[in-house]
Amino acid sequence: DPGRIPESWRGAPDSLPLFAQEASGVGFQPQERKKSSRGYRYCNKEHVFKPDRAHYCRALSRNVLRMDHYCPWFGNCVGYFNHKYFF
């Protein structure tokens, strides 16, 4: 498993993500923002907010944390949890 976006990142596109609504997540702010509105990045395919360096993989049909690339030989994405095995 290359890594998946946590459930606390769910939310409607016009609201805040769950982590920002909770008291424990108030101090956390992702660095990557939309260029036009400076809002949080949002994935319309999975309906989740996207953390830094997360990208949607069409082959896996989901967002991958710290996605590097899709490896066709292994049929998997290189991401947060399996990056050390490909290095």
Side-chain angles (χ1 to χ4, degrees), residues 47-67:
H47 305 291
V48 295
F49 288 89
K50 291 166 62 170
D52 300 335
R53 295 191 64 196
H55 300 284
Y56 187 79
C57 177
R58 288 187 301 157
L60 295 179
S61 300
R62 65 183 172 112
N63 282 292
V64 177
L65 289 175
R66 207 177 83 189
M67 182 178 173

Side-chain angles (χ1 to χ4, degrees), residues 26-81:
V26 172
F28 175 73
Q29 295 291 324
Q31 297 296 319
E32 290 183 12
R33 299 291 183 105
K34 292 181 185 176
K35 291 180 183 176
S36 59
S37 66
R38 301 298 298 156
Y40 295 117
R41 295 178 22 199
Y42 189 78
C43 178
N44 291 317
K45 295 175 183 160
E46 273 198 317
H47 305 291
V48 295
F49 288 89
K50 291 166 62 170
D52 300 335
R53 295 191 64 196
H55 300 284
Y56 187 79
C57 177
R58 288 187 301 157
L60 295 179
S61 300
R62 65 183 172 112
N63 282 292
V64 177
L65 289 175
R66 207 177 83 189
M67 182 178 173
D68 188 87
H69 67 279
Y70 178 77
C71 182
W73 294 288
F74 292 110
N76 202 359
C77 280
V78 177
Y80 182 74
F81 290 118

